[in-house]
């Protein structure tokens, strides 16, 4: 069979807003870690009376530990949450395999899926009857692999129902029809494309 290669990327639409949110959460996380460290320093520098540690000191120790833990936890949450704003995805189809990657801040890449064509069950448009039916299946989970809620003018939301290493998934992509049609043509298996695919485009 002839070698096939097709690649697309999708970026966050409002990148300026995403960058501002990323910076804000990053600053807040740094401040939280600093405040947590300062609370630990206060705890370590507490003066212990000659009579020993009493109730007031125990209350203060517990208070500083709780405050420090609160700052460290919130700092960790903010540091993790900041990566959820400035995202992009790469979709690459190399003969027999669809690769989906998530990119954080145009720097760090996380490979999400490497789907061989024998694992693809059905392909179609998001919003179609077939999509709603597959999505309601109790043994299938949805994974939205786009940072946007509205597709670009030249793209649409498509789904790929597939058997992955962690169970059945409905993977939502924001891409041009050429990508899914390339996958379908390569598989060339009856029933792989939803029946209503060639009807009027459904957009969400």
């Amino acid at each position: 069979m002839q070698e096939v290669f097709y690649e697309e990327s999708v970026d966050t639409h409002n990148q300026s807003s995403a960058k501002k949110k990323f910076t804000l959460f990053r600053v807040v996380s740094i401040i939280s870690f600093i405040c947590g460290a300062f609370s630990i320093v206060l705890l370590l520098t507490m003066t212990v009376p000659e009579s020993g540690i009493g109730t007031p000191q125990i209350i203060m120790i517990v208070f500083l530990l709780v405050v420090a833990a609160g700052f460290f936890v919130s700092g960790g949450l903010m540091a993790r949450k900041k990566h959820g704003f400035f995202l992009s995805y790469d979709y690459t189809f190399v003969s027999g395999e669809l690769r989906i990657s998530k990119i954080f801040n145009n720097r760090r890449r996380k490979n999400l899926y490497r789907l061989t064509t024998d694992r693809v069950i059905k392909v179609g448009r998001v919003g179609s009857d077939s999509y709603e039916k597959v999505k309601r299946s109790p043994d299938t989970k949805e994974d939205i692999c786009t940072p946007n809620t509205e597709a670009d003018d030249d793209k649409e939301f498509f789904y790929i129902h597939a058997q992955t290493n962690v169970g059945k998934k409905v993977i939502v992509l924001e891409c041009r029809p050429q990508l899914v049609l390339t996958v379908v043509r390569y598989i060339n298996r009856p029933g792989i494309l939803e029946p209503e695919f060639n009807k009027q485009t459904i957009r969400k």
Side-chain angles (χ1 to χ4, degrees):
M1 184 177 290
Q2 183 181 2
E3 288 295 310
V4 178
F5 177 84
Y6 189 96
E7 185 176 29
E8 279 197 34
S9 296
V10 57
D11 299 316
T12 301
H13 288 170
N14 194 341
Q15 295 195 14
S16 176
S17 175
K19 288 180 179 179
K20 289 178 181 178
K21 291 177 181 178
F22 172 82
T23 301
L24 175 62
F25 273 66
R26 183 182 183 185
V27 170
V28 172
S29 69
I30 292 173
I31 292 175
S32 295
F33 285 128
I34 291 174
C35 290
F38 182 70
S39 300
I40 295 298
V41 171
L42 287 179
L43 178 62
L44 296 175
T45 56
M46 280 183 57
T47 302
V48 179
E50 295 182 0
S51 57
I53 297 177
T55 301
Q57 288 76 34
I58 293 176
I59 293 175
M60 180 58 68
I61 290 172
V62 172
F63 174 76
L64 289 175
L65 286 174
V66 171
V67 169
F71 278 124
F72 284 127
V73 169
S74 62
L77 291 175
M78 292 292 180
R80 184 176 181 179
K81 180 68 175 177
K82 69 182 180 182
H83 295 298
F85 297 114
F86 194 41
L87 299 173
S88 59
Y89 289 81
D90 282 345
Y91 316 131
T92 304
F93 183 73
V94 181
S95 296
E97 185 175 74
L98 178 64
R99 303 168 186 173
I100 302 173
S101 301
K102 188 176 185 179
I103 298 93
F104 303 90
N105 310 310
N106 288 331
R107 296 179 181 178
R108 186 165 64 88
R109 173 184 293 268
K110 180 180 180 181
N111 296 321
L112 300 179
Y113 298 102
R114 297 188 65 167
L115 296 175
T116 53
T117 51
D118 61 306
R119 291 195 167 197
V120 177
I121 302 170
K122 190 171 288 294
V123 176
R125 286 189 169 92
V126 169
S128 66
D129 292 339
S130 297
Y131 165 75
E132 296 297 338
K133 181 179 179 180
V134 170
K135 186 180 175 182
R136 289 194 298 268
S137 179
D139 64 342
T140 301
K141 294 184 179 180
E142 185 177 43
D143 190 1
I144 300 176
C145 294
T146 171
N148 305 310
T149 56
E150 293 186 3
D152 280 335
D153 292 338
D154 61 339
K155 297 180 180 180
E156 300 177 49
F157 291 126
F158 297 95
Y159 75 89
I160 293 181
H161 185 205
Q163 179 68 53
T164 72
N165 293 332
V166 291
K168 290 182 180 179
K169 289 288 187 76
V170 177
I171 304 170
V172 175
L173 312 177
E174 179 189 349
C175 61
R176 298 177 182 86
Q178 288 89 331
L179 174 60
V180 294
L181 291 176
T182 298
V183 175
V184 169
R185 280 194 294 264
Y186 187 91
I187 297 175
N188 193 24
R189 188 169 73 236
I192 197 71
L193 192 65
E194 65 177 15
E196 61 268 50
F197 186 86
N198 292 318
K199 294 181 181 179
Q200 184 177 0
T201 300
I202 302 167
R203 297 182 68 88
K204 275 194 168 185

